[in-house]
């Protein structure tokens, strides 16, 4: 959402919009027009009329148009229409007329001109009418199911698969493609459209199950015939360049799928032999998630300031902690993007390298070739580094080298698997790192979880008794001013949630905390001092998110201790 767009500036200048109110909708997964309506109190139709008058553009009601007569050639490009929420209305000569709620959405118009070779003219329309027309044109599919005829055709496919290298395996829907290929490609495309982070292909004795992890929760999407297990696994192994004949050992691979000429998405593939066949899990690695700005990750203003201050230091260690799937990688990559300047030498050791970052020297850990985290770190320190990122501190050797690097003029970023920021310090002590080294080198610890965001279109107020709110962790002062919301569910979301937001505990190593560390204090003692210093733990940060209406108390109970 572009808060600095010409549309916003014009509405603000004419007094139709208060930009300060619009800022509160910045992190919500809504279009600019929808956010403007929510912030200003205008209806979609009122907004489109005002915009048409301000920009002296023609105005149109999509309700009065028969969708059957819309352009039906290269102009009706489903990807472009869904990406920009702009609808082609008619084509006359070399001019394509587009219905848009925002006549200043120049990126969309240029995209259409590039893809169609036509000039574009804009007609203003209400965003809700445009969205309804788009949904009508391209009906959403809630699951990946094939007809009986298609399943019958799949069941008769030969398992003969050519094990050739497929470094860039394009998604295609050619008529001569084998149905199993079409089916797998459809699954991958559907996962991308839904915003899934992982795909699970799971064989059992009598059923085969395919599940997507969306916003941190697994959902079953398909049940192909169990007889297709070997063919599905064979196809995926070919795409990821794995050994087709090896079915007794786990294997790891990658797939690069071209979505458009300019965009591709990587999948990290892991196979695991189970009792009834090979289970395959695919992690979607979308590089756009690494390019997120720090403002959209969910840090509170004071937490964001602490993180940026630590990143600006010439030396020290920043540790990000949390369970698998808690967003640690995105937090680290966001920090690296902030630090990524031509005058800095940045090196990372990762297992695996999930997302490629231009300007950063990324090293893939390979224990078979003796490329361990410790060996990679030693090599980094001989290469004149400014900033070093270690994918994970797993042992004492890696911890000691990382701390030595932080003490000798380098900024070190890394992760650990612990439940809270104070427990990270005691984990390092239990590894055998001397307490004085921890106190002098660690500058900031971030513990985090990912909570699902409530869908703004359908969330409902939730009223709980005062005693229940006190048990949840709210203070008496907060009870009188908070408004909680609960998930409802609609056709725009998944079970009342859409997207995720980070919940953080950001703990700087203050002099008092350093003193407790030097005395060999445990995590409870460190947590007590941190609370006295005004540092919110994960639970308090989560309650703050619930009180602001970003997520529900049910979701906070799921991801934090209660």
């Amino acid at each position: 959402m572009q808060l600095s767009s010409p549309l916003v500036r014009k509405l603000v200048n004419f007094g139709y919009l208060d930009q300060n109110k619009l800022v509160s909708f910045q992190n919500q997964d809504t279009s600019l027009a929808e956010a403007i309506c929510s912030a200003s109190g205008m209806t979609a139709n009122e907004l489109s009329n005002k915009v048409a008058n301000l920009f002296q553009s023609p105005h149109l009601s999509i309700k009065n148009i028969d969708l059957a007569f819309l352009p039906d050639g290269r102009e009706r490009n489903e990807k472009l229409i869904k990406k920009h929420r702009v609808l082609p209305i008619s084509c006359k000569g070399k001019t394509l007329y587009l219905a848009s709620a925002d006549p200043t959405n120049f990126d969309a118009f240029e995209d259409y001109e590039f893809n169609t070779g036509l000039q574009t003219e804009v007609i203003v329309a209400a965003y809700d009418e445009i969205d309804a027309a788009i949904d009508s044109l391209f009906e959403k599919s809630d699951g990946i199911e094939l007809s009986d005829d298609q399943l019958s055709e799949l069941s008769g496919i030969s398992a003969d698969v050519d094990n050739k290298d497929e470094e860039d395996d394009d998604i295609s829907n050619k008529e001569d493609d084998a149905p199993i290929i079409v089916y797998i490609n459809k699954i991958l495309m559907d996962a991308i459209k839904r915003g899934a982070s992982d795909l699970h292909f799971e064989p059992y004795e009598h059923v085969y199950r395919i599940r997507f992890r969306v916003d941190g929760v697994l959902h079953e999407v398909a049940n192909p015939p169990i007889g297709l297990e070997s063919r599905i696994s064979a196809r995926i192994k070919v795409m990821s360049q794995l050994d087709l004949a090896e079915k007794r050992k786990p294997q790891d691979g990658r797939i690069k799928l071209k979505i458009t000429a300019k965009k591709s998405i990587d999948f990290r593939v892991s196979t695991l032999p189970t009792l009834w066949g090979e289970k395959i899990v695919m992690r979607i690695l979308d590089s756009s998630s690494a390019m997120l700005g720090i403002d959209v990750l969910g840090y509170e203003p004071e937490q964001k300031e602490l993180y940026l201050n630590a990143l600006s230091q010439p030396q020290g260690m920043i540790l990000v902690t949390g369970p698998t799937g808690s967003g640690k990688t995105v937090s680290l990559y966001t920090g690296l993007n902030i630090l990524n300047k031509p005058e800095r030498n940045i090196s990372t050791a990762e297992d695996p390298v999930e997302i490629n970052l231009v300007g950063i020297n990324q090293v893939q850990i390979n224990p078979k070739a003796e490329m361990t985290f410790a060996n990679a770190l030693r090599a980094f320190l001989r290469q004149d580094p400014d900033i070093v990122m270690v994918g994970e501190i797993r042992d004492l050797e890696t911890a000691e080298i990382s701390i030595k690097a932080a003490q000798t003029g380098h900024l070190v970023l890394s992760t650990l698997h612990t439940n809270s920021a104070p427990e990270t310090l005691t984990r390092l002590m239990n590894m055998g790192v001397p307490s004085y080294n921890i106190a002098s080198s660690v500058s900031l610890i971030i513990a985090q979880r990912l909570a699902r965001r409530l869908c703004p279109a359908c969330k409902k107020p939730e009223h709980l008794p005062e005693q229940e709110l006190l048990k949840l962790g709210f203070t008496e002062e907060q009870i009188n001013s908070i408004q909680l919301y609960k998930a409802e569910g609609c056709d725009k979301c998944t079970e009342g949630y859409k997207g995720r937001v980070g919940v953080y505990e950001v703990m700087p190593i203050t002099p008092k905390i350093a003193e407790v560390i030097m005395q060999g204090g445990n995590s409870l003692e460190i947590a007590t001092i941190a609370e006295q210093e005004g540092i919110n733990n994960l639970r308090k940060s989560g309650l703050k998110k619930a009180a602001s209406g970003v997520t529900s108390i049910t979701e906070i109970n799921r991801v934090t201790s209660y």
Side-chain angles (χ1 to χ4, degrees):
M1 185 192 302
Q2 296 293 326
L3 300 186
S4 60
S5 76
L7 175 61
V8 172
R9 290 200 299 270
K10 197 125 183 174
L11 290 170
V12 170
N13 291 339
F14 278 81
Y16 295 133
L17 177 66
D18 182 347
Q19 192 163 8
N20 292 327
K21 291 183 179 179
L22 185 62
V23 170
S24 63
F25 294 89
Q26 182 175 7
N27 294 336
Q28 297 188 8
D29 188 12
T30 58
S31 67
L32 179 59
E34 186 174 353
I36 290 172
C37 287
S38 299
S40 65
M42 288 187 282
T43 66
N45 195 52
E46 289 172 344
L47 174 63
S48 62
N49 276 299
K50 284 185 169 58
V51 169
N53 290 331
L54 288 176
F55 289 90
Q56 298 183 348
S57 298
H59 184 268
L60 176 69
S61 175
I62 304 295
K63 293 179 180 179
N64 299 328
I65 293 179
D66 187 345
L67 300 183
F69 293 99
L70 294 183
D72 189 15
R74 56 181 174 172
E75 300 87 0
R76 191 184 292 190
N77 185 313
E78 181 178 354
K79 291 180 181 177
L80 285 181
I81 292 173
K82 288 184 174 181
K83 175 183 177 182
H84 297 296
R85 310 305 290 181
V86 171
L87 189 67
I89 296 298
S90 67
C91 184
K92 295 182 179 179
K94 293 187 177 182
T95 301
L96 177 64
Y97 292 89
L98 300 172
S100 173
D102 180 5
T104 67
N105 189 2
F106 303 119
D107 288 342
F109 310 143
E110 289 175 2
D111 212 351
Y112 270 95
E113 290 177 355
F114 177 80
N115 281 275
T116 64
L118 302 171
Q119 296 179 341
T120 58
E121 291 288 341
V122 184
I123 300 172
V124 177
Y127 77 85
D128 57 349
E129 294 182 8
I130 294 175
D131 287 346
I134 292 173
D135 291 340
S136 178
L137 283 174
F138 310 106
E139 293 182 2
K140 295 189 294 184
S141 173
D142 292 330
I144 303 169
E145 300 295 339
L146 298 181
S147 66
D148 292 339
D149 291 341
Q150 290 172 312
L151 287 174
S152 176
E153 186 181 3
L154 276 172
S155 299
I157 294 175
S158 168
D160 293 335
V161 183
D162 185 13
N163 188 15
K164 63 181 180 180
D165 288 344
E166 294 187 26
E167 183 177 344
D168 290 338
D169 194 286
D170 293 355
I171 290 183
S172 62
N173 285 298
K174 298 177 182 177
E175 292 182 359
D176 58 349
D177 279 342
I180 196 71
I181 297 176
V182 176
Y183 188 59
I184 295 297
N185 287 347
K186 177 170 171 37
I187 289 171
L188 300 185
M189 281 302 298
D190 202 58
I192 293 168
K193 290 176 182 177
R194 292 192 189 189
S197 60
D198 302 86
L199 298 82
H200 291 242
F201 298 80
E202 302 168 317
Y204 297 96
E205 184 177 8
H206 301 297
V207 297
Y208 193 97
R209 180 172 67 175
I210 299 175
R211 295 189 291 173
F212 293 167
R213 188 178 294 279
V214 180
D215 295 335
V217 178
L218 283 167
H219 301 273
E220 188 170 320
V221 297
N223 296 105
I226 186 62
L228 295 178
E229 181 273 326
S230 60
R231 294 158 191 166
I232 290 174
S233 62
R235 172 59 187 165
I236 295 174
K237 288 167 79 172
V238 166
M239 295 171 72
S240 46
Q241 302 179 60
L242 299 179
D243 185 356
L244 276 174
E246 181 56 75
K247 298 182 180 181
R248 297 170 300 172
K249 296 179 181 178
Q251 297 187 70
D252 295 306
R254 272 179 107 96
I255 300 173
K256 181 184 287 291
L257 292 172
K258 287 184 180 177
I259 308 302
T260 66
K262 295 183 178 180
K263 181 177 177 62
S264 61
I265 291 181
D266 289 343
F267 292 77
R268 192 178 78 208
V269 181
S270 172
T271 71
L272 177 68
T274 68
L275 187 61
W276 304 108
E278 288 183 285
K279 174 179 177 178
I280 299 176
V281 177
M282 305 172 72
R283 166 68 59 88
I284 298 178
L285 307 175
D286 189 354
S287 59
S288 62
S289 64
M291 304 306 166
L292 294 174
I294 193 171
D295 293 323
V296 303
L297 296 185
Y299 286 95
E300 301 295 335
E302 62 275 10
Q303 294 176 332
K304 171 186 167 183
E305 185 178 355
L306 288 170
Y307 190 18
L308 292 176
N309 285 343
L311 289 171
S312 67
Q313 300 303 313
Q315 64 185 56
M317 180 181 286
I318 299 172
L319 297 174
V320 182
T321 182
T324 301
S326 60
K328 300 188 298 295
T329 300
V330 172
S331 285
L332 282 178
Y333 281 163
T334 300
L336 289 175
N337 275 327
I338 293 171
L339 295 168
N340 192 7
K341 307 292 182 185
E343 63 271 16
R344 291 178 178 144
N345 177 20
I346 304 176
S347 297
T348 72
E350 304 173 60
D351 185 21
V353 176
E354 294 193 5
I355 297 171
N356 297 325
L357 298 176
V358 177
I360 294 176
N361 307 291
Q362 296 173 276
V363 173
Q364 170 68 53
I365 295 304
N366 184 1
K368 291 182 180 178
E370 297 186 357
M371 178 56 79
T372 61
F373 281 115
N375 288 339
L377 270 170
R378 290 191 185 95
F380 290 167
L381 295 179
R382 295 192 292 268
Q383 295 241 320
D384 185 30
D386 296 301
I387 297 154
V388 170
M389 193 270 270
V390 185
E392 183 183 351
I393 295 178
R394 298 176 179 172
D395 50 50
L396 176 60
E397 185 181 19
T398 305
E400 287 181 333
I401 300 171
S402 300
I403 284 175
K404 186 179 293 184
Q407 292 173 331
T408 54
H410 307 94
L411 182 62
V412 179
L413 291 81
S414 189
T415 71
L416 274 88
H417 286 280
T418 58
N419 292 325
S420 68
E423 288 179 36
T424 304
L425 296 168
T426 54
R427 171 74 183 278
L428 289 173
M429 294 181 200
N430 292 337
M431 278 185 181
V433 180
S435 56
Y436 57 84
N437 277 343
I438 298 172
S440 63
S441 59
V442 179
S443 55
L444 185 76
I445 302 174
I446 301 173
Q448 66 180 78
R449 303 289 188 275
L450 287 178
R452 291 179 292 174
R453 287 180 183 271
L454 283 167
C455 173
C458 67
K459 67 180 182 180
K460 300 292 183 184
E462 182 177 23
H463 303 286
L464 297 174
E466 288 190 10
Q467 289 301 317
E468 181 67 20
L469 292 173
L470 290 172
K471 287 181 181 179
L472 288 169
F474 291 106
T475 63
E476 291 185 359
E477 293 78 12
Q478 289 175 310
I479 289 174
N480 298 322
S481 59
I482 63 172
Q483 174 59 68
L484 299 178
Y485 291 86
K486 61 181 178 180
E488 186 74 11
C490 66
D491 59 355
K492 294 182 179 180
C493 63
T494 303
E495 299 177 349
Y497 297 96
K498 191 171 184 180
R500 289 193 285 180
V501 64
V503 178
Y504 302 94
E505 176 184 14
V506 181
M507 188 180 79
I509 306 304
T510 64
K512 287 186 178 180
I513 293 176
E515 185 178 343
V516 176
I517 296 170
M518 293 288 289
Q519 295 170 355
N522 59 37
S523 59
L524 291 176
E525 293 170 331
I526 295 169
T528 300
I529 297 298
E531 186 177 3
Q532 293 172 359
E533 299 263 281
I535 298 167
N536 285 337
N537 59 25
L538 281 168
R539 180 68 182 176
K540 288 185 177 179
S541 295
L543 292 176
K544 199 170 181 179
K545 288 282 192 299
S548 62
V550 175
T551 187
S552 67
I553 196 66
T554 303
E555 185 67 5
I556 294 303
N557 288 340
R558 184 180 72 86
V559 300
T560 66
S561 299
Y562 172 46

